[in-house]
Structure formats: C-alpha cells, structure tokens
Amino acid sequence: MKYLGGKHGIGKHIAEYIEKECPPDDVNGYLEPFCGSLGVFKQMTDRGYKEYIASDYHPDLIAMWKKLKDNKLKLPNEISEKEYNNLKTSKSPNAMKAVAGFGLSFGGKYFAGYAQKWAGNSGRNFLREFKTSIEKIKPTIQKKNVKFYNKSYDDFNPKNMVIYCDPPYKETESYSTGGFDHSKFWDTMRKWSKNNCVFISEEKAPKDFKVVWRRKKRRTLDKTSRFYREEKLYMYKGSKVLKKTRKKTSKKTSKKTLKNKK
C-alpha cells in the first residue's frame, strides 16, 4: 500500500531490530500509535507478543483496517474520478474514503489527485494494485489479539509495552502535519520511556535521544520527485533499554581490556 512516509520497504528490518532489543517475554504487548499503512505493524504480528494495538488519528484509515480485519471490506472493480471526488467530501469515518484517498492518489498522499487519470495506455490499474497490496496485509491482522483504535497517541497510558512511533516528521514540509505539537510529543516519549521500550522514527530528535538504528530508504512525494533519505530509529537516553545495552557494552569492553592485559 502506497502511503506518504510509509515503512513497507524497511518495515521488516525495523521489526527485527525491535524484537531483538525488546523480546515478547519481556513486555506485555506491542503498541503502534501512528500505525498508518501498517508497514511495520504487519511485520510484528507473528513475533509472539501477547497483544498488538494499532492506532491512528485518521478515522477513515482505521475504519478501513477494521473492515479488512473483519473481512468486510468489499472493493469495487473501479472508482471513477467523479466517485473519487465525491468520496473526498464524504463524511468520516468511511473505509471507502480511505481506499480512494490513499489507493488512487499520487504517491499515497491523501487525495493528492486522481492518479488513474494519468495512467494512459500503460495498463496500470491503481485500484487493483491497492487491492493486491492490502490482501497481502489482511492475514497479518486477522488475529484475535490484534486491535485497532482511532485515537490520538496521547490518549494512551502504556505500561511495560514495546512501542514504535512514526509521527509526522517535523522538517518534512510536504506532509500535512497540521497543528501537531512536536514538543509535546517528545515530552510524552520521555515519560513513556520510563516504563516501556520506546522506539521513534524521525530524521532529527532532541539531544537527549540517541540514534540506535539507521538505513537508507527511497522516498516518493509525487510522480516526478524521488529521493533518498536516511531512516533513523531513536530511543530516549534515559530509557531502561538503553541502560541495559550500555551495561552489556561496558561488560564486553571490560572483558576485552582484561584479555588484552593478559
């Protein structure tokens, strides 16, 4: 599924790193409060965590994921430009509004223009491609311990959870972040990190957060704009996970030093 800022290309790698640092037996479950297109979430649901919670502030997106999970999402063979524009102004939450807004728009940017109009004689069918994509996701979310919520991240009060956050990036102008309060977000991450394993995807973070993982990824904003950016995972320096990692690293270093002395 194309989605602006989606992690489908690197979701598996992020999931592997998260599981390695915070295995299922150490926590009560997995929480993703900015689940978006489920690029990471779909890679986590077979890793043995007790429960999986996906949430997003976008009502249409969550309506779509809920219907897909319950096997109630029935897609038409075609959505015309007129239907696309009608869905754009329709009332939310509406699962089909998400299908049109993300599946038939340029670069997965919500209602950024009816992409099928420009397919020409290429033979491309954006709705069919979207359907194929979400059908692959469906088995990963059709489990009893997978739950979807249409909530803001700050409505949660997690305890002993592994958490992955992919918030609107602060310095990416092409995102419609609206009034997202980044200062409040980082304060919340500090708070959560005291009792949870918290990982954050961002390009830049406050100085008291450390890059723990990085990888280059190609991004697409529209049909002519493609570029590479380095994806990074941050953790709060005061988190219990980083403290454990530092202790392990310190012990390994001490052992090497003793060995060299001998």
Side-chain angles (χ1 to χ4, degrees):
M1 173 181 165
K2 286 186 178 179
Y3 186 88
L4 188 63
K7 300 293 187 291
H8 288 280
I10 60 171
K12 182 181 178 181
H13 305 293
I14 291 175
E16 287 172 346
Y17 180 80
I18 289 174
E19 183 187 16
K20 179 173 71 79
E21 295 300 314
C22 295
D25 292 341
D26 292 353
V27 293
N28 294 330
Y30 175 75
L31 167 64
E32 198 171 313
F34 302 88
C35 68
S37 62
L38 308 187
V40 175
F41 191 81
K42 69 179 181 181
Q43 299 289 348
M44 293 295 297
T45 57
D46 64 349
R47 295 180 184 272
Y49 291 90
K50 296 179 184 71
E51 67 172 340
Y52 298 90
I53 299 171
S55 181
D56 202 282
Y57 198 59
H58 202 300
D60 304 317
L61 189 67
I62 293 300
M64 184 188 76
W65 290 134
K66 282 183 175 180
K67 280 203 168 187
L68 185 69
K69 172 181 163 59
D70 296 336
N71 210 29
K72 293 179 179 178
L73 186 66
K74 308 298 179 185
L75 299 185
N77 294 324
E78 182 185 358
I79 294 177
S80 68
E81 186 173 10
K82 182 180 179 180
E83 290 169 322
Y84 174 90
N85 289 325
N86 286 339
L87 283 166
K88 184 178 180 178
T89 57
S90 65
K91 188 177 179 180
S92 298
N94 184 340
M96 288 307 300
K97 188 174 181 179
V99 171
F102 293 113
L104 295 178
S105 299
F106 290 113
K109 189 176 180 181
Y110 201 54
F111 284 107
Y114 184 63
Q116 192 62 51
K117 181 179 180 179
W118 305 99
N121 298 320
S122 66
R124 287 196 68 180
N125 185 314
F126 287 91
L127 184 58
R128 186 169 61 227
E129 289 175 12
F130 182 82
K131 183 177 180 180
T132 300
S133 177
I134 62 172
E135 282 296 319
K136 290 179 181 178
I137 293 173
K138 184 159 64 172
T140 70
I141 63 174
Q142 288 186 315
K143 300 175 181 180
K144 289 182 180 179
N145 61 345
V146 171
K147 298 174 183 176
F148 286 96
Y149 294 96
N150 174 214
K151 295 168 67 172
S152 174
Y153 76 95
D154 54 354
D155 286 333
F156 288 95
N157 185 27
K159 294 285 175 64
N160 195 34
M161 301 283 284
V162 56
I163 303 167
Y164 169 67
C165 292
D166 186 18
Y169 285 8
K170 186 175 182 179
E171 296 186 7
T172 307
E173 294 180 4
S174 299
Y175 286 94
S176 299
T177 58
F180 189 78
D181 189 334
H182 291 275
S183 295
K184 181 182 177 182
F185 168 76
W186 290 110
D187 282 342
T188 304
M189 295 303 101
R190 292 180 183 101
K191 179 183 175 183
W192 284 4
S193 295
K194 293 177 182 178
N195 299 304
N196 303 277
C197 300
V198 184
F199 302 87
I200 304 114
S201 277
E202 243 291 13
E203 291 183 346
K204 292 184 179 180
K207 291 181 180 179
D208 54 345
F209 286 80
K210 178 184 179 181
V211 176
V212 294
W213 179 94
R214 63 180 77 213
R215 183 179 289 260
K216 283 189 176 180
K217 177 182 179 291
R218 190 177 75 172
R219 288 190 186 168
T220 303
L221 289 180
D222 55 47
K223 60 182 180 179
T224 60
S225 178
R226 293 180 177 177
F227 55 98
Y228 282 88
R229 286 277 176 87
E230 189 175 52
E231 291 287 350
K232 300 173 186 175
L233 274 186
Y234 287 88
M235 292 188 79
Y236 179 52
K237 288 181 180 179
S239 73
K240 60 179 182 180
V241 178
L242 275 183
K243 285 177 180 178
K244 285 181 182 178
T245 304
R246 281 196 291 266
K247 282 182 180 179
K248 287 179 182 177
T249 305
S250 179
K251 285 180 180 179
K252 285 180 181 179
T253 305
S254 297
K255 285 180 180 179
K256 283 182 181 180
T257 304
L258 287 169
K259 208 171 185 181
N260 290 334
K261 283 182 179 179
K262 288 177 181 178

